């Protein structure tokens, strides 16, 4: 589910008074110049700065720290009528932060009807103004509005930022293809792709002259060839499996549609910003309540009506806040359930793989002892032959699909080849093992001897076939949520011959988990037509189609 709200949380070494003054100036510029509201008189409490537009301001200072907070509410008509609420907080708490000052910006759309989905909030002007005016930081990294080049002398410093344990924001690194001018490539491709990342991520450009130095440390987490990699907090460059947590977007995906690529790149940092717990000083702020300015004389009927309208407005705002929080709670509950489901699937898969490993180890030891007892000690410890030749890339897999007598690939080759630019080390191996095992099953299915579906085959492998695939990676049906949503169902509908389906396409539910751990998480979808044409049709090998997690 795409995040709807925008949140920026950064810190600065400037003291609270200086940071607040800068924030106040930038807020006046944003409201007065960019939005053309009347900012001639702004005071504490509620300020009516235009029709349907209010600005609430409160500030507190004491020995336990200080904060200034502004909340702008703008009623907007349009296809989705509602209120845009923008909140800016400047906060210091020397007890917790060694005199750091925190800056928080939140933008959210509150629809007039609870049945309507909010509009997605992109990076607001106030966030960019603050980043340009303040020396904003996230851990060791500077946070700005435009990407910075990683020069060879900067590589060591950038690596320290990537490995910083106090980092909250993702670091997004875009590589420049060899033979391309870094300045021109950045202007034409990278800057449009980074359009929505200001305040959500630290942005870098990796030119070719710094590529090798970067890869010397990040061999498992490389980014090259015009791709873009999002490094989440907690990166471990020495641990190969960790690479799966840090998604890569290929050059071909970016160039195909830069606007779409920009939205995808911003989605993960935006989701992370909303789900990450706020720093303690910001999390402990009191709830902001509207405080209308006192009325000098409320004896007249007109003044009483004004007061009544203000109270009614506050009631409506409270209802909107309650609906917004309820929606956030529902989304977080859904995410918790999805995370639990993924954890369960991974536990089952790991348990099966471990049991298979232990069984294989016991069999090897048993056979070795038998050979030793038979006086064949040298044979017992002869290393096994090298595994048979297999493709090194997904493009290589497609080139060798004709080796599978009972399989037919009907999918989009480009989707499959795109995986090569984002590939984790073992994905190709897993996909090749999947196809070999699926071909064995397809032969048995055509002969009517499979004894069940592909998952049953993997759980009850007959003595003949030597190829095997973990049944924990096999899913024969999609969830009802996926099946009932037209867009998601369409993404899982793939071409087949007219002899299989008159329409020339089929909704394929059976799929294999080729990889996981990041937003690519490749899948292989197939349809078993053993009872008809005697073949299994592989309709898709590519990145995970949309679902509630993407």
């Amino acid at each position: 589910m795409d995040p709807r709200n925008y949140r920026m949380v950064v810190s600065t070494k400037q003291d609270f008074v200086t940071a607040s003054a800068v924030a106040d100036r930038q807020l006046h510029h944003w409201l007065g110049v960019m939005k053309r509201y009347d900012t001639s008189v702004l005071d504490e409490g509620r300020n009516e700065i235009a029709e349907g537009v209010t600005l609430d301001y409160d500030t507190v200072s004491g020995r336990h720290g200080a904060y200034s907070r502004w909340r702008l509410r703008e009623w907007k008509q349009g296809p989705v009528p509602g209120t845009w609420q923008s909140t800016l907080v400047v906060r210091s708490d020397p007890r917790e932060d060694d005199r750091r000052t925190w800056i928080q910006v939140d933008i959210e759309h509150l629809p007039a009807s609870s049945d309507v989905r909010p509009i997605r909030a992109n990076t607001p002007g106030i966030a960019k103004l603050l980043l340009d005016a303040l020396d904003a930081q996230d851990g060791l990294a500077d946070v700005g509005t435009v990407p910075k080049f990683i020069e060879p002398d900067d590589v060591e410093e950038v690596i320290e930022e990537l490995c910083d344990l106090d980092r909250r924001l993702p670091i997004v690194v875009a590589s420049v293809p060899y033979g391309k001018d870094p300045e021109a490539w950045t202007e034409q491709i990278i800057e449009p792709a980074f359009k929505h990342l200001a305040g959500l991520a630290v942005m870098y450009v990796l030119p070719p002259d710094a590529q090798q130095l970067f890869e010397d440390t990040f061999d498992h987490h490389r980014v090259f060839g015009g791709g873009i990699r999002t490094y989440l907090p907690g990166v471990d460059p020495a641990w190969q499996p960790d690479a799966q947590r840090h998604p890569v977007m290929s050059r071909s995906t970016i160039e195909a549609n830069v606007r779409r690529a920009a939205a995808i790149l911003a989605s993960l940092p935006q989701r992370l910003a909303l789900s990450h717990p706020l720093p303690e000083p910001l999390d402990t702020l009191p709830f902001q309540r509207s405080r209308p300015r006192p009325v000098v004389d409320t004896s007249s009927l007109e003044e009483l009506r004004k007061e009544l309208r203000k109270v009614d407005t506050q009631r409506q705002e409270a209802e909107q806040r309650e609906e917004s929080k309820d929606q956030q709670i529902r989304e977080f509950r859904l995410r918790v359930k999805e995370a639990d489901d993924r954890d369960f699937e991974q536990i089952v898969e790991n348990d099966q793989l471990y049991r298979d490993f232990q069984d294989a180890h016991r069999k090897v030891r048993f056979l070795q002892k038998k050979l030793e007892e038979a006086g064949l000690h040298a044979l017992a410890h002869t290393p096994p032959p090298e595994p048979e030749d297999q493709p090194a890339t997904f493009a290589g897999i497609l080139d060798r699909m004709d080796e599978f007598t009972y399989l037919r690939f009907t999918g989009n080759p480009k989707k499959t080849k795109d995986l090569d630019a984002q590939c984790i080390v073992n994905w190709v191996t897993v996909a090749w093992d999947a196809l070999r095992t699926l071909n064995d099953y397809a032969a048995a299915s055509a002969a009517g001897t499979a004894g069940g579906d592909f998952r049953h085959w993997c759980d009850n492998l007959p003595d003949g076939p030597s190829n095997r695939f973990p049944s924990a990676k096999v899913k024969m049906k999609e969830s009802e949520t996926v099946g009932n949503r037209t867009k998601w169902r369409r993404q899982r509908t793939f071409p087949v011959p007219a002899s299989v389906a008159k329409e020339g396409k089929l909704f394929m539910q059976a799929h294999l988990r080729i990889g996981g751990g990041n937003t690519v998480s490749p899948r292989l979808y197939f349809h078993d037509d053993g009872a008809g044409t005697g073949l299994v049709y592989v309709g898709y090998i590519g990145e995970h189609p949309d679902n509630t997690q993407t």
Side-chain angles (χ1 to χ4, degrees):
M1 185 174 294
D2 288 339
R4 301 282 95 188
N5 301 349
Y6 172 92
R7 169 170 289 171
M8 178 184 82
V9 176
V10 295
S11 65
T12 178
K13 293 181 179 178
Q14 298 184 40
D15 61 77
F16 172 75
V17 174
T18 303
S20 292
V22 171
D24 186 72
R25 287 197 300 272
Q26 299 306 317
L27 183 72
H28 275 72
H29 179 81
W30 184 50
L31 295 175
V33 177
M34 299 176 68
K35 289 181 171 290
R36 300 185 181 279
Y37 293 143
D38 180 12
T39 60
S40 58
V41 181
L42 295 181
D43 202 351
E44 285 196 59
R46 168 147 296 188
N47 299 267
E48 304 279 348
I49 60 176
E51 184 178 354
V53 181
T54 60
L55 179 71
D56 292 300
Y57 171 54
D58 63 331
T59 183
V60 171
S61 181
R63 62 190 181 94
H64 295 311
Y67 71 84
S68 293
R69 178 168 50 186
W70 298 264
R71 183 179 66 196
L72 176 71
R73 291 177 58 86
E74 304 169 278
W75 169 260
K76 299 286 186 180
Q77 290 288 354
V80 184
T83 300
W84 281 98
Q85 180 167 290
S86 309
T87 305
L88 165 61
V89 179
V90 181
R91 167 68 159 151
S92 71
D93 188 345
R95 299 173 301 169
E96 300 287 343
D97 292 295
D98 193 25
R99 300 190 181 281
R100 276 189 301 174
T101 302
W102 288 95
I103 312 294
Q104 178 181 351
V105 175
D106 280 285
I107 310 292
E108 59 182 319
H109 180 249
L110 306 172
S113 171
S114 59
D115 298 331
V116 179
R117 195 178 188 196
I119 299 174
R120 179 173 179 171
N122 290 322
T123 305
I126 183 61
K128 295 181 178 180
L129 290 171
L130 291 168
L131 291 176
D132 288 336
L134 290 166
D135 297 324
Q137 293 180 310
D138 175 59
L140 299 175
D142 295 328
V143 184
T145 57
V146 295
K148 295 190 298 184
F149 282 91
I150 302 176
E151 304 297 342
D153 292 342
D154 300 329
V155 170
E156 186 175 345
E157 182 179 340
V158 172
I159 289 172
E160 287 184 11
E161 294 173 4
L162 284 162
C163 300
D164 180 16
L165 296 178
D166 294 328
R167 173 163 72 91
R168 293 172 51 89
L169 300 183
I171 294 180
V172 183
V173 179
S175 63
V176 178
Y178 285 97
K180 293 290 185 179
D181 178 66
E183 296 282 353
W185 182 262
T186 299
E187 182 180 352
Q188 297 168 10
I189 300 296
I190 297 176
E191 288 182 354
F194 282 5
K195 179 179 180 182
H196 305 305
L197 290 179
L200 296 174
V202 177
M203 299 173 281
Y204 281 116
V205 177
L206 182 64
D209 59 354
Q211 181 82 49
Q212 188 57 53
L213 287 172
F214 188 84
E215 289 184 3
D216 287 344
T217 299
F218 278 82
D219 182 48
H220 303 311
H221 301 66
R222 295 181 297 165
V223 56
F224 56 91
I228 298 176
R229 188 160 207 153
T230 301
Y231 294 90
L232 300 180
V235 63
D236 185 349
W239 189 34
Q240 181 175 327
D242 178 66
Q244 297 193 44
R245 293 198 309 114
H246 312 284
V248 179
M249 180 176 287
S250 68
R251 173 183 175 180
S252 58
T253 299
I254 300 164
E255 290 184 310
N257 190 329
V258 177
R259 184 175 179 181
R260 179 176 180 271
I264 295 173
L265 279 174
S267 180
L268 181 58
Q270 195 167 352
R271 184 182 301 120
L272 186 66
L274 295 170
S275 61
H276 200 297
L278 288 171
E280 184 71 15
L282 291 171
D283 199 35
T284 55
L285 284 180
F287 181 76
Q288 185 175 27
R289 300 184 183 278
S290 302
R291 291 187 297 153
R293 296 184 183 182
V295 179
V296 177
D297 179 13
T298 58
S299 59
S300 69
L301 181 60
E302 184 57 33
E303 293 296 340
L304 289 173
R305 285 174 175 167
K306 287 182 180 179
E307 286 300 298
L308 182 60
R309 284 196 293 270
K310 290 177 181 178
V311 172
D312 187 58
T313 299
Q314 292 174 9
R315 178 189 61 78
Q316 293 176 3
E317 291 176 6
E319 290 177 352
Q320 281 186 321
R321 285 195 300 268
E322 184 178 358
E323 290 175 357
S324 177
K325 296 302 178 187
D326 286 345
Q327 179 63 26
Q328 291 179 21
I329 290 171
R330 285 194 294 270
E331 290 180 1
F332 278 120
R333 283 174 177 166
L334 179 60
R335 293 192 189 283
V336 168
K337 181 182 181 303
E338 291 165 350
D340 288 343
D341 291 343
R342 290 196 302 271
D343 287 346
F344 178 74
E345 287 180 352
Q346 198 64 56
I347 289 170
V348 171
E349 182 179 329
N350 290 344
D351 180 66
Q352 182 183 32
L353 292 174
Y354 182 73
R355 284 188 283 107
D356 289 347
F357 168 77
Q358 291 287 35
D359 288 345
H361 181 70
R362 282 193 295 269
K363 289 177 182 177
V364 169
R365 289 297 302 144
F366 173 77
L367 293 173
Q368 283 179 332
K369 287 181 179 180
K370 289 296 183 183
L371 289 171
E372 289 171 354
E373 291 171 359
L376 301 173
H377 189 276
L379 181 60
H381 296 279
T382 300
E386 291 294 321
E388 65 180 62
D389 177 48
Q390 67 177 41
T393 64
F394 281 95
I397 287 180
L398 295 182
D399 290 340
R400 294 178 57 178
M401 282 298 297
D402 58 357
E403 296 180 20
F404 301 114
T405 307
Y406 293 92
L407 301 185
R408 295 292 183 271
F409 180 74
T410 63
N412 184 341
K414 182 178 181 302
K415 296 282 188 181
T416 305
K417 293 176 181 178
D418 282 347
L419 291 174
D420 286 327
Q422 314 172 71
C423 190
I424 303 300
V425 176
N426 70 332
W427 285 356
V428 174
T429 301
V430 173
W432 186 248
D433 288 344
L435 290 168
R436 292 197 307 171
T437 310
L438 194 58
N439 188 64
D440 291 343
Y441 163 77
S445 178
T449 60
D453 60 20
F454 183 59
R455 184 183 178 95
H456 178 272
W457 174 269
C458 293
D459 271 331
N460 302 274
L461 202 63
D463 294 333
S466 59
N467 300 311
R468 57 191 303 116
F469 189 77
S471 62
K473 285 181 172 287
V474 181
K475 195 170 183 180
M476 297 306 297
K477 286 188 177 182
E478 284 285 13
S479 66
E480 289 186 12
T481 303
V482 170
N484 292 333
R485 187 165 293 191
T486 303
K487 177 183 176 182
W488 295 348
R489 188 181 179 94
R490 188 186 308 120
Q491 290 180 356
R492 292 158 176 81
T493 299
F494 306 112
V496 292
S499 57
V500 178
K502 293 181 180 179
E503 300 82 3
K505 55 186 178 181
L506 202 65
F507 173 48
M508 297 187 185
Q509 300 195 60
H511 61 277
L512 312 179
R513 295 173 60 237
I514 303 304
N518 64 15
T519 55
V520 180
S521 299
R523 297 293 187 262
L524 183 156
Y525 280 80
F526 67 93
H527 170 68
D528 177 13
D529 196 49
T533 60
L535 299 171
V536 167
Y537 296 90
V538 179
Y540 180 84
I541 305 175
E543 66 177 78
H544 199 310
D546 291 342
N547 64 1
T548 55
Q549 303 168 24
T550 57

